[in-house]
Amino acid sequence: MLEEERKYEVDKDFTLPDLTGSVPPGGRVVRLPPVTLTATYLDTADLRLARAGVSLRHRKGDPLPWTVKLPADVPGTRHEISRVGKRRDTPAELIRLVTAYSRSAPLAPAAVVRTVRHAYELRDASDRVLAEIADDAVSVLDGERVRSRFREVEVERKGGDRELLDRVESVLRDAGAVTGDFTPKHVRALGKAAAGAPDLVAPDKLSGKPSAADVVTNAIRRGVGRVLAHDPLVRLRAPVGDDDTAVHQMRVGCRRLRSDLRTFRSLLRPEWVGPLRDELKWLADVLGAARDAEVLRDRLHVTAAADPLSPLDSDAVDRIDAVLVRRHDQALASVDEALTSDRYTALVEALVQAARAPRLTDAAQGPATKVLPRLVAKPWHRLARGGKGADAAADLDPLAPDHRWHAVRINGKKARYAVDAVAPVLGGDARKLAKSLSRVQELLGEHQDAAVAAETWLEVAAADPTDHALAVNAGRLAERERASIRAVRAAFPAAWRRTTKGSRTSWL
């Protein structure tokens, strides 16, 4: 679940104000019985979890005592995953969830925090809990001795909206609460060492005249961050936004990073970049099977419902879906196996080191505006001029077989990733080209998805030749996919002309 809360620093004499005016009309504030919670936080010897904004704790007094909290995109929000278990038996699932941060280094108790909590629920007129206020008196323990004390107030969003949290914040601040940084209890307890920089280095803000090394380093750091940020979400089967999955985003991270390492390979040490690209390909391929099954399942239902005036046999569609479910389950099992392997742990370590200090050559020290355009020109020219089994994008024959369109799609993706990597620095025409290539790639991606889907529907039907209803409906599905392919092929020439229009490519 996604936890959203705000923290406030208060002194020992702080009195929690009346919050009744913060709830909607007819609502009320319910005081809960005070509780004492003793939490033991596990971490590596060098506090890798705390420094990354991650925690793994056992809290005595909770019905679900084991909890992992992971950073989320929005400040003040965290992914919270809780499980049952005894103090001495850390759930293996939770240990695996922090692999991207611990990198399998041993975990041991790092801090013990005792909290005396006075909590209050804000409820609406129907008695639905909108938010919970926790007034916490915190003691940091060193054995039986109290090493330090502090007090804080937490406001956790439940069924309410952010406007409610804003109203509560206003009342708390008027009473003397201080809005501070979102600092978890265990980080405050562990002190400066826990507040240090995380091992995974984030991209820097580029200077006005960056070197090629600056741009390449940032591209690598963005790619590594994207891959590792989605590691725990893949393990949890968690959605990303309303219509995306962690498997997709992690796979895109692998592919984009591989592409960047290829585009900029003349600026990178070959003995370093080659093995890293090989391992990223291994991971992308494992994720790819699961992602392909996701796409096919989504596409099946969209294609089946494409013409309400000519509905398909729902039972036949369900039988196709059942085949895809089995494929998806098998692919996810392979993903789990890969993510728990020593090979993957070694890759995580290599990615963290790559983000920290990519192995650059002397040529990377030149100005980005002079060095990078010629490197991006290579994947661009492969797309525009063709070669190595791929047609030039402008010369694609509307009647060419699907595999030739797919070959152009592959070159298009490489060109788009390369332009994306340098557009923030080169600006102007590079940004325009990146936007146009995105549309080209969208069309070519739809073409490939439709082609694969059409083959899959017919393949499923061929596996059971006695099921005539399945065969008929699979054929109808395939024809709808071929219609999508024809629409893409009709729209592509205009999209390509827009891509090469004006000065979009002159910088190359």
Side-chain angles (χ1 to χ4, degrees):
M1 68 176 278
L2 194 64
E3 173 195 65
E4 180 178 351
E5 65 180 18
R6 302 180 186 181
K7 287 181 179 283
Y8 305 89
E9 296 180 9
V10 297
D11 60 35
K12 60 183 179 63
D13 298 320
F14 176 81
T15 300
L16 196 71
D18 183 5
L19 297 166
T20 305
S22 302
V23 299
R28 62 188 180 122
V29 178
V30 177
R31 182 172 183 171
L32 303 179
V35 294
T36 299
L37 305 166
T38 301
T40 301
Y41 290 87
L42 276 60
D43 210 328
T44 63
D46 56 357
L47 304 182
R48 294 178 185 181
L49 302 189
R51 289 186 288 110
V54 174
S55 66
L56 169 57
R57 77 171 184 224
H58 178 276
R59 190 161 71 178
K60 185 179 179 181
D62 257 345
L64 295 172
W66 281 105
T67 298
V68 161
K69 293 190 178 183
L70 303 162
D73 292 336
V74 179
T77 63
R78 291 179 292 177
H79 298 282
E80 181 178 299
I81 307 95
S82 297
R83 298 291 185 265
V84 298
K86 297 179 180 179
R87 165 64 190 85
R88 294 186 178 182
D89 299 323
T90 311
E93 175 193 1
L94 299 190
I95 294 175
R96 289 193 291 269
L97 277 181
V98 300
T99 296
Y101 306 96
S102 68
R103 309 196 300 284
S104 76
L107 298 169
V112 180
V113 173
R114 183 173 63 215
T115 301
V116 178
R117 170 166 292 178
H118 293 83
Y120 305 80
E121 291 180 342
L122 306 188
R123 302 186 181 187
D124 63 13
S126 64
D127 226 27
R128 183 172 61 111
V129 178
L130 305 177
E132 181 175 296
I133 318 298
D135 184 357
D136 291 343
V138 184
S139 300
V140 181
L141 304 182
D142 186 356
E144 296 298 321
R145 182 176 67 88
V146 176
R147 192 173 71 219
S148 62
R149 290 186 173 90
F150 59 89
R151 188 177 171 198
E152 66 179 20
V153 172
E154 295 179 355
V155 182
E156 183 177 352
R157 182 182 173 192
K158 299 291 188 179
D161 54 26
R162 289 193 176 92
E163 285 76 9
L164 171 66
L165 268 60
D166 292 340
R167 293 196 298 271
V168 172
E169 179 170 302
S170 178
V171 174
L172 291 174
R173 293 181 65 177
D174 288 345
V178 177
T179 306
D181 294 332
F182 188 91
T183 305
K185 288 182 177 65
H186 71 295
V187 173
R188 294 185 65 176
L190 289 166
K192 291 183 179 179
D199 284 354
L200 180 58
V201 181
D204 289 327
K205 184 176 181 180
L206 295 175
S207 64
K209 295 182 179 180
S211 67
D214 295 331
V215 177
V216 173
T217 297
N218 264 10
I220 291 172
R221 287 174 177 172
R222 279 195 301 271
V224 172
R226 189 174 194 170
V227 172
L228 298 186
H230 290 94
D231 168 309
L233 302 182
V234 168
R235 298 173 192 267
L236 289 168
R237 313 286 193 257
V240 179
D242 296 330
D243 58 356
D244 204 355
T245 68
V247 166
H248 177 219
Q249 287 302 314
M250 192 175 188
R251 184 195 190 194
V252 168
C254 291
R255 287 183 158 188
R256 186 178 286 268
L257 181 53
R258 284 193 78 241
S259 180
D260 288 343
L261 293 173
R262 176 186 173 89
T263 298
F264 304 125
R265 64 187 181 277
S266 64
L267 307 180
L268 299 165
R269 301 286 181 187
E271 72 278 5
W272 174 78
V273 73
L276 188 57
R277 290 189 76 246
D278 290 343
E279 291 305 281
L280 285 167
K281 182 181 187 304
W282 162 72
L283 180 57
D285 288 346
V286 173
L287 294 165
R291 175 57 183 166
D292 291 347
E294 288 177 352
V295 170
L296 284 168
R297 288 199 68 202
D298 289 343
R299 193 169 188 97
L300 171 65
H301 297 289
V302 171
T303 304
D307 186 356
L309 298 179
S310 181
L312 272 64
D313 182 335
S314 61
D315 288 339
V317 173
D318 287 345
R319 290 198 291 280
I320 296 174
D321 188 51
V323 173
L324 300 180
V325 168
R326 289 194 294 272
R327 292 185 185 182
H328 192 208
D329 289 344
Q330 291 168 359
L332 288 175
S334 296
V335 169
D336 289 340
E337 182 179 355
L339 296 187
T340 55
S341 68
D342 292 341
R343 182 177 183 178
Y344 176 71
T345 303
L347 174 58
V348 171
E349 185 68 45
L351 290 173
V352 171
Q353 296 304 323
R356 178 179 298 161
R359 307 284 182 83
L360 299 161
T361 65
D362 292 341
Q365 303 311 314
T369 53
K370 291 185 177 180
V371 174
L372 298 181
R374 63 181 175 82
L375 300 182
V376 178
K378 293 180 180 180
W380 165 255
H381 289 318
R382 279 196 297 271
L383 172 63
R385 299 174 182 172
K388 292 187 177 180
D391 296 325
D395 298 332
L396 269 175
D397 184 346
L399 300 179
D402 292 340
H403 71 85
R404 299 197 72 85
W405 282 76
H406 180 48
V408 174
R409 172 179 175 264
I410 292 172
N411 283 342
K413 183 171 290 189
K414 291 175 180 177
R416 177 193 168 192
Y417 287 165
V419 175
D420 280 348
V422 302
V425 174
L426 302 182
D429 292 331
R431 290 183 185 274
K432 292 178 183 177
L433 181 58
K435 185 175 181 179
S436 297
L437 280 173
S438 178
R439 173 56 179 160
V440 165
Q441 194 59 32
E442 180 183 313
L443 286 171
L444 293 172
E446 167 64 16
H447 186 289
Q448 176 65 5
D449 288 348
V452 170
E455 291 179 6
T456 301
W457 313 147
L458 298 177
E459 171 196 324
V460 171
D464 190 357
T466 62
D467 190 333
H468 302 301
L470 181 64
V472 169
N473 284 273
R476 294 178 66 191
L477 284 167
E479 282 305 308
R480 291 180 182 184
E481 302 294 359
R482 297 311 305 181
S484 294
I485 288 172
R486 290 192 294 275
V488 167
R489 294 188 179 200
F492 184 80
W496 181 250
R497 284 194 298 272
R498 285 192 295 271
T499 300
T500 56
K501 182 181 178 182
S503 60
R504 280 180 172 84
T505 63
S506 60
W507 59 280
L508 291 166

